[in-house]
Amino acid sequence: MVRKYDFLVIGSGIAGMSFALKVADRGAVALVCKSGLEEANTYFAQGGVASVTNLITDNFEKHIEDTMIAGDYLSDRSAVEMVVRNAPQQIGELISWGVDFDRDEDGNFDLHREGGHSEFRILHHKDSTGAEIQDSLIRAVKRHPGITIYENHFAIEILTQHHLGVEVTRQTKDIQCFGAYVMDLRTGEIAAFLSKVTLMATGGVGAVYRTTTNPLVATGDGIAMVYRAKGTVKDMEFVQFHPTALYHPGDRPSFLISEAMRGYGGVLRTLDGQEFMHKYDRRLSLAPRDIVARAIDNEMKNRGEDHVYLDVTHRDAGETRRHFPNIYRKCLDLGIDITRDCIPVAPAAHYLCGGIKVDLDGQSSILRLYAVGECACTGLHGGNRLASNSLIEAVVYADAAARHSLQVIDRYGYQDSIPAWDDRGMRSPEEMVLITQSIREVGQIMSTYVGIVRSSLRLKRAWTRLDILYEETESLFKRSIASKDICELRNMINTGYLIMRQAIERKESRGLHYTLDYPPPGGIPE
């Protein structure tokens, strides 16, 4: 089966849906998501959206500098300036789509401050900003007649000259994307979705780790697909661990305790009630996430404990319940009254700062393919994302990609020579058991050896264990066995390799001793 659209959007978070809304008046849009529209990282974002709106106390230069500092000055300043300076306009766009940000009694935005920010500039909707944005965009997308929504559809591969029998390597300069093979998860049927322009907006990689705040659909699908298609991927080693995920063993994903709670005055303490952030940073509990996550990790390891506490009991109980109603209810369900009890927290994989390398227009190294949101490496975040910069990055770059793609789409046609997917393979129950076990093993390997603190010995062990899983998984896929589980496992393994490979390169580029030879034997092919 073949379907044709002007625009193919893979992913249904804030990046994918805002792009779809911006281009749908000019062409037919297919919006593909592998579960429901709500199942995206955007929905689970609690804190808010960073934007300079109070010009009395704040300005663009402050926001730019805060971003550069948080990113360890590894951020691309041109990307930082583009996002920061275009943020207010895109806030207006979100409001036009129905997003309701909290305001004070005078009608001004009720701004929060979060770790790493020098001013109050976080717009929010209580402690469920992501859900408010996602729900508003879903309503807008469903109203638009030019957008066809494909829920429970899973993109397997992007289509390039490779599928026409042409040899494509990383040195090929004119790789083009013609769309993607997409599986209907209800029927198992795989169709070729042909498009003039394709947007990758598949989110992050958190589910590659055993402990994560991400929905379990975040398996690095778009990044792995683009890398296998010989596209450029960058900064994969920069996986941000949120320092304060609710510690409740067995929960996957972990419930996020918002960055805004530390901005509200929350204090980090060890299990015996002692503050500790003064040992690590003068900004105390309001230090950027990477510093706080490493501090918590160090305290937990030194003390042999599996979590620390976040304490807001000194704040007014009514105000706490009003600002953080969802966090209050979630904790209360577990027997924790946050107005009287400390909240048990521990770091969890949260956000990928790298991904598919794109330019200021959101263009990847593959022609006709754009990438926006967490799966893209714009250069904004550098080595560590500044809190609440991700949602605004998504809408600013979706706008840039939309404007650029609308300028060039008339140059492109459909590639009708793409062959149908070969689905002659067969699966056995034994193979499915193996796949389920392998998915769990990937999470265990990544959390144990490729977490907050890495060493050459740990990476070597991880690489050796992933090699075995890689060979098993590729043998299944090469037999034309296609299922969501196999494809996700394949993407998770590829993502794990990329994180490790680029961590090794980063170590070498800084001149640090590394005992693991590069490139290691086996593993993801070039």
Side-chain angles (χ1 to χ4, degrees), residues 3-14:
R3 302 181 188 274
K4 293 183 179 180
Y5 290 90
D6 296 296
F7 301 92
L8 170 61
V9 178
I10 304 174
S12 63
I14 185 174

Side-chain angles (χ1 to χ4, degrees), residues 371-389:
V372 179
E374 192 173 351
C375 72
C377 179
T378 65
L380 172 68
H381 306 302
N384 176 56
R385 175 173 69 97
L386 181 64
S388 291
N389 265 359

Side-chain angles (χ1 to χ4, degrees), residues 138 143 192 260 360 373:
I138 288 172
R143 286 195 302 265
L360 293 176

